[in-house]
Amino acid sequence: SQQGEEDPQALSIQEGENATMNCSYKTSINNLQWYRQNSGRGLVHLILIRSNEREKHSGRLRVTLDTSKKSSSLLITASRAADTASYFCATSGSARQLTFGSGTQLTVLP
Amino acid sequence: GAVVSQHPSRVICKSGTSVKIECRSLDFQATTMFWYRQFPKQSLMLMATSNEGSKATYEQGVEKDKFLINHASLTLSTLTVTSAHPEDSSFYICSARVGRAYTDTQYFGPGTRLTVL
């Protein structure tokens, strides 16, 4: 069964606005990763945050991790139409396998 | 960056036939590859972990006789869906893991859309 739950399931915003997606998980992790998937395509790795890190930035992406609450958030600033995609969090634990969240479908309107 | 390819990208077959999907790491060697299945508007579900030179490890509920996995080399893993049925129609995605540390990253192939008539 999937470990992670993401909310919202779907998010629609205007170009230029910020988009925030949240991910919760159930067991201890080594790291948490965020991926993007365009419709009908494979996954693109966005960012990895280790369990001992609290925040990480990469370009317009900002990821936070709260291991006490077993949650993470992905913030995309100044969104563009090209950011329209599904976003998944994935946790990696002792087995070093990825367990994916349910995903958030982001639509950025031009 | 690391590139993973899959072939074919799309396949349509009749019920009862077998379909082979290839996953290749193009510019790196991958000791471990993973196979996922994704139904429409759902997340990825891990089917099996494939290690070069050894038998694949299947997740609970995945029939190993139905989904045959072979990892013949450090750059190639294959998934064969045997005697496919309409319920096997799905998007199959492979990934290859680089590195051995806990920060290792999986690189994903573009996926294979299987439609069983």
Side-chain angles (χ1 to χ4, degrees):
Chain A
S1 62
Q2 292 174 196
Q3 171 170 234
E5 293 296 326
E6 292 182 56
D7 77 273
Q9 287 187 332
L11 178 62
S12 184
I13 59 174
Q14 293 293 135
E15 208 165 23
E17 294 180 339
N18 296 341
T20 300
M21 290 159 267
N22 302 295
C23 166
S24 62
Y25 56 93
K26 296 177 182 175
T27 61
S28 62
I29 62 172
N30 288 329
N31 64 67
L32 185 144
Q33 304 178 40
W34 284 89
Y35 288 84
R36 184 184 73 208
Q37 183 181 35
N38 289 86
S39 180
R41 302 290 186 91
L43 274 70
V44 174
H45 182 261
L46 295 176
I47 196 166
L48 179 153
I49 186 166
R50 304 177 190 180
S51 60
N52 61 353
E53 296 176 313
R54 292 295 166 260
E55 187 171 312
K56 204 162 184 178
H57 297 255
S58 176
R60 293 185 296 114
L61 305 180
R62 172 177 169 255
V63 169
T64 63
L65 178 64
D66 187 335
T67 52
S68 66
K69 295 181 180 179
K70 291 186 169 57
S71 67
S72 173
S73 68
L74 170 67
L75 168 67
I76 303 174
T77 60
S79 63
R80 306 166 182 169
D83 294 330
T84 294
S86 292
Y87 291 82
F88 295 92
C89 67
T91 54
S92 176
S94 57
R96 296 172 66 220
Q97 296 172 337
L98 288 179
T99 302
F100 283 85
S102 51
T104 295
Q105 172 61 51
L106 173 66
T107 302
V108 181
L109 303 171
Chain B
V3 178
V4 176
S5 70
Q6 277 185 244
H7 178 80
S9 58
R10 186 181 296 268
V11 58
I12 301 173
C13 68
K14 292 182 179 179
S15 184
T17 60
S18 293
V19 175
K20 179 185 282 189
I21 303 170
E22 291 187 350
C23 176
R24 293 182 185 270
S25 56
L26 296 186
D27 50 2
F28 65 97
Q29 293 184 330
T31 54
T32 305
M33 290 184 172
F34 302 88
W35 287 95
Y36 297 84
R37 183 165 59 182
Q38 184 180 32
F39 292 107
K41 298 191 184 301
Q42 294 189 25
S43 188
L44 280 74
M45 298 299 292
L46 179 65
M47 299 176 66
T49 301
S50 170
N51 291 294
E52 185 265 340
S54 62
K55 291 183 178 180
T57 302
Y58 291 80
E59 294 300 299
Q60 193 172 11
V62 178
E63 302 174 56
K64 57 183 178 182
D65 295 331
K66 171 83 173 170
F67 299 98
L68 300 179
I69 291 173
N70 183 275
H71 196 154
S73 74
L74 288 172
T75 60
L76 174 64
S77 176
T78 60
L79 168 68
T80 301
V81 183
T82 61
S83 187
H85 291 283
E87 58 265 29
D88 298 323
S89 298
S90 187
F91 194 53
Y92 291 87
I93 306 176
C94 73
S95 71
R97 185 167 66 196
V98 179
R100 298 184 181 275
Y102 72 92
T103 56
D104 51 17
T105 299
Q106 289 186 27
Y107 293 92
F108 285 79
T112 297
R113 174 78 57 195
L114 171 62
T115 303
V116 184
L117 303 176

